[in-house]
Amino acid sequence: MKSPELNRIVQSVFDKLVIQTQKAYPSTKSMSWKIRIKKDPSVNAFCLPGGKLVITTGFIETLKTRIDTNISHEDL
């Protein structure tokens, strides 16, 4: 993504997901956690083996709409 603010928000949410996952499943601490953004208009996000998460630009645009309407990412 070209927007540093959206990248920051996506990374922030991802980091929180990783922390909670590692608390619930300690064996996941050794995974190489990474997030990838896929250029796709659909609203979708999914996990792949080994701690990889894919989120689509359509999903991010939905987040952006919420940000533009002053809905905090903390509320997501």
Side-chain angles (χ1 to χ4, degrees):
M1 288 300 298
K2 294 181 180 181
S3 168
E5 178 67 8
L6 281 176
N7 280 336
R8 185 189 67 73
I9 291 169
V10 168
Q11 188 65 50
S12 173
V13 172
F14 177 72
D15 292 344
K16 289 175 185 176
L17 287 171
V18 170
I19 289 167
Q20 293 305 312
T21 301
Q22 290 176 338
K23 283 181 182 177
Y25 305 98
S27 63
T28 64
K29 290 181 180 181
S30 64
M31 291 182 178
S32 177
W33 293 93
K34 293 186 182 176
I35 187 165
R36 297 287 183 236
I37 299 171
K38 179 180 179 187
K39 188 174 181 180
D40 184 332
S42 66
V43 178
N44 197 10
F46 55 91
C47 292
L48 297 169
K52 309 303 184 263
L53 181 78
V54 178
I55 187 169
T56 63
T57 53
F59 193 103
I60 293 171
E61 285 302 314
T62 299
L63 293 176
K64 184 178 180 312
T65 299
R66 289 174 180 237
I67 292 164
D68 290 345
T69 56
N70 294 320
I71 298 174
S72 168
H73 73 283
E74 297 293 330
D75 296 330
L76 300 176

